[in-house]
Amino acid sequence: MNMGSKTIWSFGYGSNMDVKALEVRKKVQVLEHTSAILKDFKMEFNLSGMHHVEPAFSGLAESPGSQVHGVAFKMSLESAENLIRNEGGDDAYDKKMVTLQSYTGRELEGFIFLNNSPPSLNLVPSSRYLGV
């Protein structure tokens, strides 16, 4: 993360696009949010979950020419650390700095979470997870 700034953007997609859930469950104070596009990635159900309960979660995979639509969240560095901790800490995911593009064309520098273990293939999420 760019520690020279006092704020940073993060990208939420799939079940992580709800501002209120981010604030309440993940202890993140959202300063600003906007619809955004992450280019050259795709969303896949490639993270193994708990068999019979939540068999798969969505993750990002690099994919030139693809794009993921989601929400960019601006937060303080303290909130970003809360988010990282609530997502499992530094060991759970790799963080990668990316350029996001808002629907109005504004470029936003932020980070995404990438699975740090080999992705699983052909996983199917639960109906509950898809509904979120």
Side-chain angles (χ1 to χ4, degrees), residues 38-44 60-68:
L38 172 63
K39 293 183 178 179
D40 296 323
F41 283 85
K42 64 181 176 179
M43 185 180 87
E44 297 180 333
L60 294 171
E62 292 191 52
S63 178
S66 296
Q67 58 186 16
V68 179

Side-chain angles (χ1 to χ4, degrees), residues 105-116:
R106 183 169 61 151
E107 288 191 348
L108 311 168
E109 296 301 316
F111 71 94
I112 58 172
F113 291 108
L114 292 173
N115 190 11
N116 64 8

